[in-house]
């Protein structure tokens, strides 16, 4: 899902002090949000509050969602760079950034981490169309991801400014701790024939990283397709294309996170994260050459 760069938009308004005031998605959306969108956003917000619902969703993501993904890919998946991963603190939040070749990249990457003991609540921004403006989208979100797909991203031109509030919603979740957010610096899915030729970085991811100060883990994934039936079948026959995942050490942004916020600076942060993914891509290219 594309995370908007908001390159032409102003920075967040500020209260007293240096911290930006985060936009509220429901208030900022106003009448532009449909009744079902408002209800679903409200439900998702309540689900992050400490209590039975949050515990249930975390448990389902950890014990059901990760298990079925693991069962669907484990015979094809090869993982490298595990020793570079940090020890995940349940009280902190993290961001994983990866290249974007299929609809399932982040699910495979994060499912592996969950099976390794990462206990955080998974969050993946998703398009509002279908997932937030229809009852069926709510059901699919619940059954397929156990409500990992949040917050909504708006594709309509007349609602583009609402994506600033969606970015702020992600920042708010990261700041409160206990979230693991999956993002694609490329923005949209890369459909080129060359999996190593990444698309230009978009500034929306940089905006989230800059405002949240969350630790950022880069990953490169290759070999996944968008035909989920064919992919799962090839996993069980063990004759499919290998799916390689390469993790990198947390990205060192130096003093970039201390610089003043601006659209140009957000894009530089996204580019820096994408560079880390690109380097992992070259590592994966060398690994894949040995698999042939």
């Amino acid at each position: 899902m594309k995370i908007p760069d908001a390159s032409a938009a102003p920075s967040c308004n500020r209260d007293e002090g240096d911290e930006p005031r985060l936009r509220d998605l429901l208030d900022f959306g106003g009448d532009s949000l449909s009744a079902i969108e408002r209800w679903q956003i409200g439900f998702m917000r309540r689900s992050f509050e400490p209590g039975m619902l949050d515990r249930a969703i975390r448990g389902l993501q950890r014990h059901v969602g990760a298990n079925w993904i693991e069962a669907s890919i484990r015979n094809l998946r090869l993982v490298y760079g595990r020793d570079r991963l940090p020890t995940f603190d349940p009280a902190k939040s993290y961001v994983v950034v990866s290249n974007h070749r299929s609809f399932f990249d982040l699910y495979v990457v994060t499912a592996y981490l969950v099976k390794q003991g990462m206990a955080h609540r998974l969050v993946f921004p998703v398009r509002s169309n279908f997932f937030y403006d229809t009852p069926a989208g709510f059901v699919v979100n619940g059954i397929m991801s156990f409500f990992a797909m949040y917050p909504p991203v708006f594709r309509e031109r007349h609602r583009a400014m609402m994506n600033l509030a969606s970015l702020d919603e992600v920042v708010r979740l990261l700041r409160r701790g206990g979230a693991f957010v999956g993002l694609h610096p490329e923005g949209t899915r890369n459909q080129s024939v060359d999996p190593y030729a990444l698309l230009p970085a978009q500034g929306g991811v940089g905006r989230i990283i800059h405002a949240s100060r969350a630790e950022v883990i880069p990953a490169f994934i290759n070999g996944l397709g968008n035909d989920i039936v064919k992919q799962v079948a090839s996993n069980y026959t063990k004759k499919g294309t290998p799916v390689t995942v390469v993790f990198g050490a947390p990205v060192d942004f130096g003093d970039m996170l201390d610089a003043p916020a601006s659209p140009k600076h957000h894009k530089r942060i996204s580019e820096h994260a994408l560079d880390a993914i690109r380097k992992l891509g070259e590592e994966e290219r060398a690994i894949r050459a040995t698999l042939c």
Side-chain angles (χ1 to χ4, degrees):
M1 169 46 49
K2 182 173 182 178
I3 300 294
D5 65 9
S7 57
S11 298
C12 295
N13 295 328
R14 293 179 178 268
D15 291 319
E16 293 181 6
D18 295 329
E19 288 296 323
R21 186 174 72 242
L22 300 179
R23 294 171 173 84
D24 182 278
L25 181 54
L26 289 176
D27 291 343
F28 194 73
D31 293 338
S32 295
L33 291 169
S34 67
I36 190 169
E37 286 173 329
R38 296 185 69 86
W39 183 86
Q40 289 204 57
I41 292 169
F43 169 85
M44 288 300 299
R45 283 185 170 178
R46 291 189 296 274
S47 79
F48 283 98
E49 295 298 326
M52 184 179 298
L53 181 57
D54 178 53
R55 291 194 300 271
I57 290 174
R58 288 173 186 266
L60 289 168
Q61 289 182 352
R62 187 177 311 121
H63 300 299
V64 180
N67 282 340
W68 77 256
I69 294 172
E70 179 76 5
S72 300
I73 201 68
R74 63 186 170 199
N75 294 325
L76 302 178
R77 188 199 58 218
L78 301 168
V79 179
Y80 302 87
R82 286 170 283 201
D83 57 321
R84 302 167 182 164
L85 293 170
T87 299
F88 294 112
D89 181 347
K92 292 176 57 178
S93 289
Y94 299 86
V95 170
V96 63
V97 291
S98 82
N99 58 315
H100 195 8
R101 294 290 295 176
S102 84
F103 296 119
F104 312 108
D105 300 320
L106 289 173
Y107 291 94
V108 171
V109 168
T110 55
Y112 173 79
L113 296 176
V114 169
K115 295 302 293 181
Q116 296 303 301
M118 193 269 290
H120 293 63
R121 176 84 177 263
L122 300 178
V123 179
F124 308 133
V126 69
R127 62 183 171 88
S128 175
N129 306 81
F130 176 71
F131 287 103
Y132 275 82
D133 61 8
T134 67
F138 178 80
V139 174
V140 171
N141 190 4
I143 293 175
M144 294 299 294
S145 75
F146 299 109
F147 300 109
M149 291 187 282
Y150 182 74
V153 175
F154 304 94
R155 287 182 168 181
E156 303 91 340
R157 184 181 297 274
H158 71 280
R159 300 207 295 177
M161 287 295 291
M162 289 167 53
N163 288 321
L164 297 174
S166 289
L167 295 179
D168 286 351
E169 192 80 358
V170 177
V171 172
R172 188 177 288 107
L173 292 175
L174 287 167
R175 286 184 181 179
R176 72 190 298 174
F180 198 90
V181 177
L183 301 172
H184 296 297
E186 293 173 280
T188 192
R189 186 165 54 93
N190 186 347
Q191 303 183 58
S192 70
V193 295
D194 183 1
Y196 305 103
L198 304 185
L199 298 174
Q202 304 298 311
V205 169
R207 185 186 181 101
I208 291 171
I209 294 169
H210 185 265
S212 69
R213 306 301 202 268
E215 193 165 13
V216 178
I217 300 163
F220 186 91
I221 182 169
N222 192 13
L224 275 180
N226 288 307
D227 187 337
I228 189 170
V229 175
K230 180 179 179 181
Q231 188 94 57
V232 173
S234 70
N235 169 70
Y236 287 107
T237 62
K238 302 182 182 180
K239 296 181 179 179
T241 301
V243 176
T244 47
V245 180
V246 184
F247 289 106
V251 180
D252 182 3
F253 290 97
D255 59 359
M256 297 178 72
L257 301 184
D258 297 323
S262 72
K264 288 184 178 180
H265 189 62
H266 292 152
K267 189 166 186 177
R268 283 194 291 270
I269 293 173
S270 289
E271 289 170 347
H272 190 66
L274 193 63
D275 282 343
I277 298 170
R278 188 175 288 110
K279 291 176 182 176
L280 296 177
E282 291 307 311
E283 187 176 333
E284 190 275 345
R285 189 202 297 263
I287 291 169
R288 186 166 287 270
T290 69
L291 302 177
C292 300

